[in-house]
């Protein structure tokens, strides 16, 4: 990740200082063009939640999905957008119209990839009937009428996207968006063949028979919540000559010791370490430490009695030792999060990383936590509180949750926290439905701008799990997206910092850490691209000797 700031700074100079292109990636080494046609065995610590491009919301699903499906753009090793299904693009002088000419490409059922596949997918993404959590990203991209359609004010056929013919896709924007092309590499914009979708019905994207591929690999073994997913090289892919692997086998292993045993036995080529393993293997030549963009935090449901109280929320947020979490539990390069917007995400008009000039908040302070707790007890008229916290069943998440549970109960006498452990998919569903009290969750950046975090806490956002609402906050975010602030980059940047301060001052979330990854990669494996924004790992150019 050494080149992140340099890359973002350069892009900012060429386009816009808050450009939303993906942060720079890191490749393990330059890929060997010879290759050997072997299958790469890759560790996942959670299941794939969905293989439906317009429904998926998590990084694991995005990674697997992007290996088998390709959109108009992909990203290069540095995270910059590169043409993929698009062969060329023509832009109008006013920046309001993009005309894409598609490559000659096929789906794995032999049918051509056409402009209609993109029109269908994007209309489906923004259609309120789909109820996609990522419908908002079409508005972020500035596509004409997107926001009104997602709100039910206009019909989906009014979306500014048209198939002029099979090879020509025309996209109209409501306002110029300098980061538009970069955003199109995000998985929500992947194409879907309408005829195949309708034929698959409710089973779409749930098995190899209901998933079409037009990317580097095709899926040969998959079912929802599967612990093994198998991909094979797609010989009909337009750039198949560049793909050197015979395929990828993903294995879901949640327990750290079992993961390392599999790696040492040769059953894994790529594995993520946790806890004590990091200390044990960090001197190994196959060890790699990679900073990621994920922010882990606790979301309090403010519809739950007591959690609507700001002083109680502050008490909880200040009561646990974050440094102990990253130093003693994770040990994987993760850093303490005293913020809502991670570091190494975006560069501002001043050429500096957002976090360099923004303040920090909710630093661990156990004495202060007690002060807030005493105020909360007076205001709420009670001195005992019991809450359940939903936690996914990975080993690292459980270890972090157990430590935080102990810290809160020790430092705030009278507060009891019970853990509800479940698969990630269920944890996400519970939080989306609002049927939770506290939730240990994470968010990975979709694009390289603070807005990819800050718009989560607007009133009515599907990612605003705590049901918090603040009209002043909403006004800042709305103006920064497509109002007056969007036209004044310096002022926009400062107002986004004010928005973050509002969220933190009111303890809307309790930040814990920004994720680092300790990864083992077998000697002889090269060309894996790691990215902190969007798709976290790309294996198109990977070689296994």
């Amino acid at each position: 990740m050494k080149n992140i700031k340099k890359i973002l700074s350069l892009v900012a100079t060429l386009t816009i200082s808050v450009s939303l292109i993906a942060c720079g990636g890191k490749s393990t080494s330059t890929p060997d063009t010879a290759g050997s046609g072997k299958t790469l065995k890759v560790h996942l610590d959670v299941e794939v939640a969905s293989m439906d491009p317009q429904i998926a919301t998590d990084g694991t699903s995005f990674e697997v999905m992007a290996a088998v499906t390709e959109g108009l753009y992909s990203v290069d090793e540095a995270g910059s957008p590169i043409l993929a299904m698009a062969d060329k693009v023509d832009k109008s002088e006013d920046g309001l119209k993009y005309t894409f000419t598609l490559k000659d490409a096929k789906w794995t059922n032999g049918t051509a990839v056409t402009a209609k596949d993109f029109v269908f997918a994007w209309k489906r993404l923004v259609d309120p009937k789909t109820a996609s959590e990522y419908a908002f990203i079409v508005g972020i991209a500035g596509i004409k009428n997107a926001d009104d359609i997602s709100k039910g004010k206009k019909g989906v056929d009014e979306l500014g996207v048209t198939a002029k013919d099979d090879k020509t896709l025309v996209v109209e924007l409501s306002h110029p968006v300098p980061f538009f092309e970069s955003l199109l590499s995000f998985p929500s914009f992947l194409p879907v063949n309408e005829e195949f979708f309708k034929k698959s019905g409710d089973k779409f994207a749930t098995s190899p028979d209901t998933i079409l591929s037009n990317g580097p690999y095709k899926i040969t073994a998959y079912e929802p919540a599967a612990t093994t997913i198998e991909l094979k090289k797609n010989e009909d892919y337009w750039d198949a000559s560049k793909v050197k692997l015979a395929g990828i086998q993903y294995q879901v292993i949640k327990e750290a010791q079992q993961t390392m045993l599999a790696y040492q036995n040769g059953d894994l080529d790529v594995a993520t370490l946790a806890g004590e393993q990091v200390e044990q293997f960090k001197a190994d030549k196959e060890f790699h430490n990679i900073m990621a963009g994920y922010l882990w935090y606790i979301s309090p449901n403010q519809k739950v009695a007591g959690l609507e109280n700001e002083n109680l929320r502050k008490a909880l947020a200040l009561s646990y030792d974050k440094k102990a979490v990253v130093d003693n539990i994770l040990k994987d390069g993760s850093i303490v999060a005293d913020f809502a917007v991670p570091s190494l995400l975006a560069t501002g008009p001043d050429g500096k990383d957002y976090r360099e000039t923004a303040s920090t908040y909710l630093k661990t302070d156990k004495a202060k936590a007690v002060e807030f707790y005493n105020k909360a007890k007076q205001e709420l008229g009670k001195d005992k509180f019991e809450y359940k916290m939903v936690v996914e069943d990975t080993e690292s998440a459980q270890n972090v949750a157990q430590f935080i549970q102990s810290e809160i109960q020790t430092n705030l006498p009278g507060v009891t926290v019970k853990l509800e452990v479940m698969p990630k998919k269920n944890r996400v569903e519970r939080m989306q439905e609002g049927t939770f009290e506290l939730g240990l969750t994470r968010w990975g950046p979709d694009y390289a701008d603070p807005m990819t975090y800050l718009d989560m806490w607007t009133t009515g956002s599907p990612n605003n799990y705590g049901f918090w609402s603040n009209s002043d906050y909403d006004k800042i975010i709305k103006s920064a997206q497509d109002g007056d602030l969007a036209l004044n980059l310096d002022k926009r940047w400062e107002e986004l910092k004010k928005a973050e301060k509002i969220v933190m001052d009111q303890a809307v979330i309790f930040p814990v850490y920004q994720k680092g990854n300790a990864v083992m990669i077998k000697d002889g494996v090269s060309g894996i691209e790691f990215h902190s924004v969007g798709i976290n790992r790309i294996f198109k150019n990977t070689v296994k000797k």
Side-chain angles (χ1 to χ4, degrees):
M1 306 301 291
K2 294 177 181 177
N3 296 323
I4 289 175
K5 294 181 183 178
K6 180 179 178 182
I7 292 163
L8 287 176
S9 180
L10 174 60
V11 173
T13 303
L14 294 175
T15 54
I16 183 172
S17 55
V18 290
S19 68
L20 306 191
I21 66 170
C23 289
K26 175 182 176 181
S27 175
T28 55
S29 65
T30 303
D32 181 342
T33 56
S36 54
K38 295 183 179 179
T39 296
L40 188 73
K41 293 170 284 189
V42 180
H43 167 234
L44 298 175
D45 63 1
V46 294
E47 300 91 348
V48 167
S50 175
M51 285 294 290
D52 184 332
Q54 282 73 58
I55 296 298
T57 61
D58 66 292
T60 302
S61 299
F62 290 155
E63 177 183 315
V64 180
M65 196 185 308
V68 300
T69 314
E70 193 166 79
L72 296 173
Y73 289 85
S74 183
V75 294
D76 62 16
E77 182 181 335
S80 301
I82 53 175
L83 293 175
M85 281 293 106
D87 190 50
K88 65 176 183 177
V89 56
D90 295 316
K91 311 169 202 176
S92 63
E93 288 187 11
D94 61 7
L96 296 179
K97 181 183 284 188
Y98 286 75
T99 302
F100 297 97
T101 302
L102 302 189
K103 286 183 172 72
D104 290 326
K106 293 181 180 180
W107 294 105
T108 43
N109 65 355
T111 60
V113 178
T114 71
K116 293 178 183 177
D117 298 328
F118 289 93
V119 172
F120 174 72
W122 296 6
K123 285 184 177 179
R124 179 172 174 256
L125 175 61
V126 80
D127 190 340
K129 293 179 182 177
T130 305
S132 172
E133 286 190 58
Y134 269 98
F136 73 89
I137 207 165
V138 190
I140 294 290
I143 298 177
K144 187 177 178 181
N145 295 327
D147 288 334
D148 283 342
I149 294 169
S150 64
K151 294 174 183 176
K153 295 180 180 179
K154 291 186 177 181
V156 292
D157 289 335
E158 295 183 73
L159 186 67
V161 55
T162 307
K164 186 176 179 181
D165 54 48
D166 282 351
K167 286 293 184 69
T168 311
L169 179 71
V170 179
V171 184
E172 297 176 86
L173 307 188
S174 59
H175 55 277
V177 179
F179 49 83
F180 176 69
E181 293 170 82
S182 300
L183 206 51
L184 292 189
S185 66
F186 192 72
S188 295
F189 290 101
L190 291 174
V192 172
N193 181 275
E194 182 176 6
E195 182 180 352
F196 182 82
F197 174 84
K198 290 180 176 178
K199 182 179 178 181
S200 300
D202 292 341
K203 294 185 178 180
F204 175 70
T206 60
S207 69
D209 291 338
T210 58
I211 298 172
L212 278 187
S213 302
N214 71 328
Y217 304 95
K218 58 185 178 182
I219 199 156
T220 57
Y222 167 74
E223 61 183 23
T227 55
T228 301
I229 302 166
E230 295 183 1
L231 313 183
K232 298 296 183 185
K233 178 179 176 178
N234 180 7
E235 298 292 351
D236 292 326
Y237 175 54
W238 69 271
D239 206 19
S241 64
K242 299 280 183 66
V243 180
K244 303 304 178 185
L245 293 175
I248 302 172
Q249 183 189 72
Y250 287 102
Q251 299 177 43
V252 180
I253 306 175
K254 299 178 181 181
E255 201 273 321
Q257 187 174 358
Q258 185 183 350
T259 298
M260 202 56 206
L261 277 173
Y263 182 82
Q264 291 174 321
N265 291 337
D267 296 326
L268 288 172
D269 298 309
V270 183
T272 303
L273 304 183
E276 298 299 329
Q277 293 178 330
V278 180
E279 289 292 320
Q280 185 179 353
F281 293 99
K282 68 180 181 181
D284 194 298
K285 66 177 182 178
E286 296 181 345
F287 177 89
H288 302 263
N289 198 264
I290 300 157
M291 178 56 73
Y294 280 101
L295 176 72
W296 278 85
Y297 60 94
I298 295 171
S299 182
N301 186 344
Q302 295 189 30
K303 288 189 175 182
V304 173
L307 295 178
E308 82 285 357
N309 183 277
E310 184 177 311
N311 283 319
L312 182 58
R313 296 198 305 271
K314 287 180 177 179
L316 293 168
L318 297 176
S319 66
Y320 50 89
D321 188 342
K322 301 177 199 176
K323 194 170 188 305
V325 169
V326 300
D327 289 348
N328 303 334
I329 298 175
L330 297 171
K331 302 181 181 180
D332 56 5
S334 296
I335 62 173
V336 167
D338 294 323
F339 43 72
V341 178
S343 61
L344 302 177
L345 172 70
T347 301
D350 56 3
K352 296 180 179 179
D353 183 85
Y354 176 87
R355 288 257 60 89
E356 288 186 53
T357 57
S359 300
T360 53
Y361 309 92
L362 298 178
K363 292 183 179 181
T364 301
D365 188 332
K366 296 177 181 180
K368 195 73 176 175
V370 172
E371 291 181 23
F372 284 123
Y373 182 44
N374 289 333
K375 290 179 182 178
K377 288 191 289 185
Q378 287 184 333
E379 291 167 352
L380 295 168
K382 56 188 297 188
D383 58 7
K384 291 189 182 300
F385 304 86
E386 182 175 308
Y387 297 110
K388 296 176 182 177
M389 182 160 70
V390 293
V391 180
E392 59 195 53
D393 57 1
T394 61
E395 185 176 354
S396 61
Q398 291 185 69
N399 288 343
V400 170
Q402 289 166 5
F403 176 78
I404 292 175
Q405 173 192 42
S406 175
E407 286 278 278
I408 290 175
Q409 293 180 162
T410 299
N411 298 312
L412 303 178
V415 177
T416 301
V417 177
K418 295 185 177 180
L419 304 184
E420 292 186 278
V421 179
M422 61 196 69
K424 178 183 176 182
K425 183 176 182 179
N426 300 101
R427 190 267 299 164
V428 172
E429 287 174 350
R430 288 276 300 275
M431 296 187 75
Q432 290 171 342
E433 294 166 355
T435 55
F436 76 103
E437 296 175 346
L438 297 170
L440 179 62
T441 185
R442 68 175 185 174
W443 185 258
D446 302 327
Y447 49 93
D449 185 82
M451 192 65 74
T452 192
Y453 284 89
L454 297 177
D455 69 1
M456 286 200 292
W457 300 297
T458 54
T459 302
S461 165
N463 299 304
N464 185 358
Y465 298 139
F467 302 100
W468 175 73
S469 181
N470 182 296
S471 59
D472 292 335
Y473 183 86
D474 290 346
K475 288 175 184 176
I476 293 174
I477 300 303
K478 176 63 176 172
S479 183
Q481 286 176 330
D482 55 19
D484 292 341
L485 288 177
L487 304 175
N488 185 333
L489 302 182
D490 290 318
K491 188 174 181 182
R492 176 185 185 272
W493 207 247
E494 295 308 311
E495 289 296 305
L496 290 180
K497 293 177 189 176
K498 290 182 182 179
E500 182 187 29
K501 185 177 188 302
I502 293 172
V503 168
M504 292 287 89
D505 283 350
Q506 295 190 25
V508 177
I509 63 168
F510 313 155
V512 184
Y513 64 95
Q514 181 177 343
K515 188 74 172 73
N517 286 322
V519 183
M520 298 295 290
I521 302 173
K522 289 289 187 184
D523 188 33
V525 173
S526 60
I528 301 174
E529 295 174 12
F530 292 91
H531 301 278
S532 62
V533 173
I535 304 163
N536 298 129
R537 298 185 296 194
I538 296 177
F539 298 103
K540 175 182 173 178
N541 298 314
T542 300
V543 172
K544 177 182 175 181
K545 294 182 180 178

